[in-house]
Structure formats: C-alpha cells, structure tokens
Amino acid sequence: MTSLVKEKKIKTNGIWLNVAEKGDEGGPLVLLLHGFPETWFSWRHQIDFLSSHGYHVVAPDLRGYGDSDFLPSHESYTVSHLVADVIGLLDHYGTAQAFVAGHDWGSVIGWSLCLFRPERVIGFISLSVPYSPRDPNLKPSEFSKTFGDGLYITQFQKPGRAEAAFAKHDCKTVMKKFLLTTRTDFMVAPPGTEIIDDLEIPSNIPEWITEEEIQVYADKFQRTGFTGPLNYYRAMDLNWEILAPWEGCKIVVPAKFITGDKDIGANETMEYVKGEMFKSIVPNIEVVVIENGHHFIQQEKSKQVSEEILCFFNKLSSTE
C-alpha cells in the first residue's frame, strides 16, 4: 500500500522539504510530523489508514532528515524555523487549517505550532512527548546535566560527539538500537559510556517491523548522516530563549496525547499527564495510554494509534 505514496519536493521557509502524500486532495488535510531518528516512513501505517478514510495525508521529512534540505548549523533548527516550515506547507496546500499529529520531536513542533499559530490547527495529536511549560530559571541543557554526562540529550550537545559514537556501528545497527529499545528510563548510560553503545538489540526482531523496513531508514541515514537530526537537540537552549514571550500561555487547540505505558521515562510522564498542571495548561486535552506500548508507538501499535487518530479527527470534523 505504501508504494502508492507520492513523494515530491516543496519549497517552504527558504528550503526544500521532501513530502510523502496520499489520499483525496479534496479531503481534509492531515499533517504528520516524525521524530528522532526517523523519516516520513515512520507514519507509513497511518498514511495508508487515514487516506483510506477520506483524508489528504502529507508527511514531510523534517529539515535535516531524509530527502529534505540539510543545514549544517544547529542555529537553523529552532522551533521558529521548524514551525515556519510547517506553516509554509499549509500555505502550499492552500489550507487555512489542518489536522496535525506529531511524534517525539514532531510533537515538540506540533505543540509549538499550536502555541504560535493556533488558528491554523483544527486539532493536534501528540505521541510520546507531552507539552511542558518553560522553566524561566533553568535552561534545558542545565536541567539535562542533573542526570550526569550519561543522559543521551547531554551526549548529543557537543558537535561531533554522537556522530563519532554512532559511526562505530553500521547504520542498520544504529537504527535497531533506537527503534527497538524497550527501555523505560530516561536513557542514561553508565559513566564513561556512550548511549549508543549502551543500547541493546533484542535477539529477535519484533513482529511490528521487518528487517526490510529497518533497512529503509538505514539507507537514508547512511546517505545523510545524523548531524541534522542531532542539531534539534543542540538548539534546545535557543528554543528556551525563543519561547520566553509565551511563558505561562496555555494550549487552546483541541488536543489528544497518546503514549505507551513502557515509553522512555514512562513513570514520570504518566504522573505528569495525569496531574493537574498538564490539564491546566492544555485544558482541552484527552489522554490515551496504550498498554505494552514503547517509544515508537505509531509503528509498534499501528492499528490502535491509527484508530485513535481517526476517531479524534472525525469527532472534530463533525463539530466544525
């Protein structure tokens, strides 16, 4: 089915993004934003499912990924740049409003889109990463250091460090280490160890993904490298500065948060999304927890995630 997906390049915000597209162009637009370390291909199941239910589905390779433009400086990967890329896509398709779903870094972009330009979003679904308020007293890099040098985010900060660690493995091994992880901690490596070396590969590939599908990712990253994706982490402190004017603002767009009960940092995430703070800053929120779901949940639990997305978007369509 995914072979019927059309890929094309779109000029947006001064760069070219590669997008995968499927479905009736007259149908409601759905924008799917992937995370680290992925491409549009991570949404392959949802692209097929949503397009078969009348939606016009568009999933870009985010800047620095896949067949989209790569910019070498981390300063080109702030939420301002990333949201502007998305706005440019919406403008290209001539739509005033769209349905949006994001996973991992795609969730960060989606939440920022809802914060900056809520009038462009009918409804937003976040997978794995909930919206969290800006701490005026603590930069993200400073918070990360409280976990020590082993935290993956800390290890990703210095240009070249993670790239060199990844390069000790072939790209398919790197992809397996990330995609197939079942860790529920915050991914902290022991002292003196790089996180990529600490991640383990299961003895058997799980049923939800094939060797061939993992190879699709590996082939892309073999060509592009990982600096673009890592630059998202290197821009986190810049994002903290950019977001200062929105401190204390609420997300007013109708939203749904979907996570697995065995995601990275699952215990802390569960406590947060079930608490009063999350509901107070995202008042129009639904929370769905998928049993035995890990981080790459739209692939691992593709049917359940696809149905949750469709149900939410259909409900919003009927109330417009």
Side-chain angles (χ1 to χ4, degrees):
M1 288 290 285
T2 311
S3 61
L4 300 174
V5 167
K6 296 185 298 183
E7 289 187 69
K8 66 181 181 183
K9 297 284 183 70
I10 294 175
K11 188 72 173 290
T12 171
N13 190 28
I15 64 170
W16 290 94
L17 290 188
N18 180 63
V19 303
E21 184 175 7
K22 190 174 182 181
D24 180 1
E25 293 187 8
L29 184 69
V30 172
L31 196 62
L32 303 176
L33 307 173
H34 69 79
F36 174 92
E38 300 172 285
T39 64
W40 72 259
F41 189 68
S42 68
W43 293 107
R44 58 196 176 280
H45 305 294
Q46 289 72 36
I47 291 171
D48 287 343
F49 184 82
L50 294 171
S51 63
S52 72
H53 284 82
Y55 287 92
H56 177 201
V57 187
V58 172
D61 289 335
L62 299 178
R63 63 165 59 202
Y65 279 92
D67 295 315
S68 291
D69 281 357
F70 162 74
L71 297 99
S73 171
H74 73 279
E75 294 179 355
S76 298
Y77 292 82
T78 71
V79 286
S80 292
H81 294 90
L82 300 168
V83 170
D85 293 349
V86 172
I87 293 294
L89 290 180
L90 298 184
D91 291 345
H92 170 85
Y93 286 102
T95 182
Q97 285 189 310
F99 297 100
V100 181
H103 171 249
D104 189 79
W105 268 103
S107 291
V108 176
I109 298 168
W111 289 122
S112 300
L113 174 66
C114 292
L115 195 63
F116 297 167
R117 300 295 301 274
E119 80 283 0
R120 302 301 299 266
V121 186
I122 302 168
F124 174 57
I125 293 180
S126 167
L127 307 183
S128 297
V129 178
Y131 179 69
S132 56
R134 176 184 185 271
D135 185 336
N137 301 310
L138 196 64
K139 289 185 177 183
S141 63
E142 294 168 348
F143 174 73
S144 296
K145 286 176 183 175
T146 63
F147 292 88
D149 183 65
L151 183 71
Y152 73 102
I153 294 173
T154 299
Q155 294 190 357
F156 289 178
Q157 293 303 305
K158 184 180 179 181
R161 176 179 176 177
E163 288 93 331
F166 291 7
K168 294 175 184 175
H169 308 272
D170 63 80
C171 269
K172 193 169 187 181
T173 297
V174 172
M175 294 312 304
K176 284 182 176 180
K177 280 173 170 279
F178 281 115
L179 291 174
L180 307 182
T181 186
T182 56
R183 287 174 62 158
T184 59
D185 69 330
F186 281 117
M187 298 227 308
V188 180
T193 305
E194 296 297 310
I195 190 65
I196 195 67
D197 299 327
D198 193 47
L199 292 173
E200 298 178 351
I201 297 174
S203 54
N204 296 310
I205 300 295
E207 293 181 357
W208 57 268
I209 197 165
T210 66
E211 291 278 359
E212 292 75 19
E213 288 172 324
I214 296 171
Q215 191 64 52
V216 170
Y217 291 112
D219 289 345
K220 291 295 182 186
F221 285 103
Q222 181 65 46
R223 185 178 60 79
T224 64
F226 290 92
T227 297
L230 291 164
N231 277 340
Y232 285 65
Y233 294 91
R234 294 165 184 161
M236 290 174 75
D237 280 354
L238 291 175
N239 290 340
W240 180 83
E241 295 177 8
I242 289 166
L243 289 167
W246 287 272
E247 191 175 306
C249 289
K250 295 181 179 183
I251 300 290
V252 297
V253 172
K256 188 173 193 173
F257 177 67
I258 303 172
T259 190
D261 64 355
K262 292 181 172 60
D263 201 339
I264 296 162
N267 290 340
E268 291 79 5
T269 297
M270 294 299 165
E271 185 178 349
Y272 172 63
V273 299
K274 291 179 178 179
E276 289 306 311
M277 179 189 284
F278 185 53
K279 294 182 178 67
S280 69
I281 58 176
V282 192
N284 201 353
I285 186 73
E286 295 179 31
V287 175
V288 174
V289 178
I290 295 179
E291 189 175 350
N292 293 318
H294 298 88
H295 186 62
F296 296 93
I297 196 162
Q298 80 269 38
Q299 298 175 78
E300 181 190 27
K301 303 291 185 182
S302 59
K303 186 174 186 292
Q304 194 171 349
V305 169
S306 295
E307 289 173 348
E308 289 286 355
I309 292 173
L310 180 68
C311 176
F312 186 66
F313 288 168
N314 279 351
K315 182 179 71 174
L316 291 174
S317 295
S318 66
T319 57
E320 278 192 277

